[in-house]
Amino acid sequence: MSDLTEIWAVAIGSGLAVGVLGLLAGWTLRQRSLHWLLAVVGAVTTLTVLVAVQVISRRMLISDHDRSVVLIVTSAAAGVSLVVALVLSTALVRWSRALREDVRRVGAGETVVAAGRGPAEFRELSEELAAAHQRLADAREREHRLEESRRELVSWVSHDLRTPLAGIRVMAEALEDSIATDPARYHRQIRGEVDRMVQMVDDLFELSRIHAGQLVVEPQPIVVGDLVSEAIAAADPVARARRITLGGEVPHGLQVAADPAGLSRVLANLIVNGIRHTPADGTVHVTARPVDGGVELSVTDGCAGIPDEARERLFDVGYRGTSARTPDDPLQDVHTSRAGLGLAIVKGIVEAHHGRVAVENVGTTSAPAAGCRFRVLLPASA
């Protein structure tokens, strides 16, 4: 056997012997702190070198003095390596405990900030925890808003149903007792109240279908100009009663693939909403234009602007932007009383078409917030 072969055999044998002992020690300490496992790795590395050097030096018949020198040098190197391993393992344990504390904060709903400490993997994990915390915070905020919207919806609907029912009961009793001075007018009022409640129930049913994911859209090519014309014509009597100018502008031949009934309802709700919140002698304008990847519909009114906190909740179920229980609009009827459901239905129908709906304030040089614009973006194919 050559000298090099013998050296290789001694080195590999020493390494295997120390490695087996290290694996046994690691298995024994497998449930202990990461600090001890990393210390075992450092000890195995240093002991492998130390044992191999000592065995080989004895096989080479080196003098006791030279062997002592080799032992001192390798022991010093082994000691330094072990100290470095212990320091690094302590730092890794500290970083892992910091991550464990971040995980606890995520579970407790406390604020978590991404920390730029430790190796790249630890920093990435810290950033992911901070992002997960933000997503959870957003989800909790959405859940809180939805719960608040449900409570408001129950409150509004119960009021909006109770009021007409009370009026119908009074008028029915007057007709039964033959004390109604104008029975025909009472019949018309009862019919109007019934129609308004039917519309409200239809809105609730439509909203329940949207939330249950049962709203099925059947896209087909639609001429946008015809759709806008029909929506304006349907809302024109309400606009005239409010002394509001209602108009529109659509490029000739513009088409979009959408569900006709659903898109008609979107336009009707947005137009009526604009009429309702525009003061007398104001203007509600409907436009459409092609954009990259689809068509944009917009309804601009003269509502004098919407506060930022209200814009964030405008499409929530049951949100009306006012705490008043009795509408202050004397022209409330079947077309304008929506119990805060109209815009929520708009959002549901648009999202069913894989589109987006948004609202923004618009103004002039004299009035920074003269009105608001609802923008509906529909893709080229739903």
Side-chain angles (χ1 to χ4, degrees), residues 1-8:
M1 181 183 295
S2 64
D3 292 342
L4 290 178
T5 303
E6 184 178 359
I7 292 172
W8 273 108

Side-chain angles (χ1 to χ4, degrees), residues 191-208:
R191 177 60 184 271
E193 296 290 353
V194 170
D195 289 343
R196 189 159 70 93
M197 288 190 294
V198 168
Q199 183 64 56
M200 190 183 307
V201 172
D202 289 343
D203 285 350
L204 288 170
F205 178 71
E206 186 75 7
L207 197 62
S208 68

Side-chain angles (χ1 to χ4, degrees), residues 290-375:
V291 295
D292 292 339
V295 172
E296 181 187 84
L297 299 169
S298 63
V299 178
T300 306
D301 58 40
C303 67
I306 304 174
D308 292 340
E309 61 274 9
R311 269 206 314 274
E312 295 178 356
R313 296 197 55 202
L314 205 59
F315 296 98
D316 289 352
V317 176
Y319 182 72
R320 292 183 174 181
T322 175
S323 59
R325 286 300 181 207
T326 302
D328 55 2
D329 184 358
L331 294 176
Q332 290 289 341
D333 60 10
V334 65
H335 299 286
T336 59
S337 180
R338 296 287 184 182
L341 304 179
L343 294 181
I345 292 174
V346 166
K347 181 180 179 181
I349 295 176
V350 171
E351 291 181 348
H353 284 80
H354 307 290
R356 301 191 306 273
V357 58
V359 60
E360 60 188 7
N361 287 333
V362 295
T364 61
T365 55
S366 59
C372 62
R373 177 182 295 120
F374 287 85
R375 299 168 57 246

Side-chain angles (χ1 to χ4, degrees), residues 257-272:
D259 183 82
L263 192 55
S264 296
R265 182 152 197 182
V266 167
L267 276 175
N269 284 9
L270 291 179
I271 291 174
V272 169

Side-chain angles (χ1 to χ4, degrees), residues 31-223:
Q31 295 182 346
R32 302 293 295 275
S33 172
L34 182 65
H35 176 83
W36 296 106
L37 295 177
L38 294 176
V40 169
V41 173
V44 168
T45 303
T46 56
L47 288 176
T48 299
V49 176
L50 183 60
V51 171
V53 168
Q54 290 302 313
V55 172
I56 291 173
S57 64
R58 290 183 179 277
R59 298 285 294 175
M60 294 176 65
L61 303 178
I62 298 177
S63 65
D64 293 340
H65 178 271
D66 293 341
R67 192 162 47 249
S68 298
V69 173
V70 173
L71 178 61
I72 293 172
V73 173
T74 54
S75 298
V80 172
S81 300
L82 187 58
V83 170
V84 171
L86 291 174
V87 171
L88 292 178
S89 65
T90 301
L92 287 174
V93 169
R94 187 185 304 115
W95 293 327
S96 66
R97 287 174 179 171
L99 286 175
R100 182 185 64 185
E101 183 64 19
D102 287 344
V103 173
R104 186 198 64 78
R105 290 195 183 99
V106 170
E110 301 175 6
T111 301
V112 176
V113 180
R117 57 177 180 267
E121 291 79 6
F122 278 33
R123 293 198 303 271
E124 292 173 358
L125 181 56
S126 179
E127 292 172 358
E128 285 296 327
L129 284 174
H133 169 265
Q134 186 60 44
R135 289 193 294 269
L136 287 174
D138 294 341
R140 282 192 291 266
E141 178 63 23
R142 286 194 299 270
E143 183 180 358
H144 174 73
R145 288 174 54 184
L146 286 173
E147 183 61 29
E148 187 176 350
S149 297
R150 292 189 193 99
R151 290 196 298 267
E152 290 180 352
L153 176 62
V154 172
S155 177
W156 284 112
V157 170
S158 62
H159 174 270
D160 285 356
L161 289 176
R162 187 186 304 114
T163 301
L165 285 173
I168 291 174
R169 174 182 292 176
V170 171
M171 288 183 286
E173 291 175 352
L175 290 172
E176 289 177 354
D177 298 337
S178 300
I179 60 175
T181 56
D182 188 354
R185 181 172 65 87
Y186 276 37
H187 285 124
R188 289 193 301 271
Q189 290 179 340
I190 290 175
R191 177 60 184 271
E193 296 290 353
V194 170
D195 289 343
R196 189 159 70 93
M197 288 190 294
V198 168
Q199 183 64 56
M200 190 183 307
V201 172
D202 289 343
D203 285 350
L204 288 170
F205 178 71
E206 186 75 7
L207 197 62
S208 68
R209 291 176 58 207
I210 292 173
H211 287 174
Q214 297 179 352
L215 180 63
V216 179
V217 296
E218 298 179 355
Q220 62 186 59
I222 300 175
V223 178

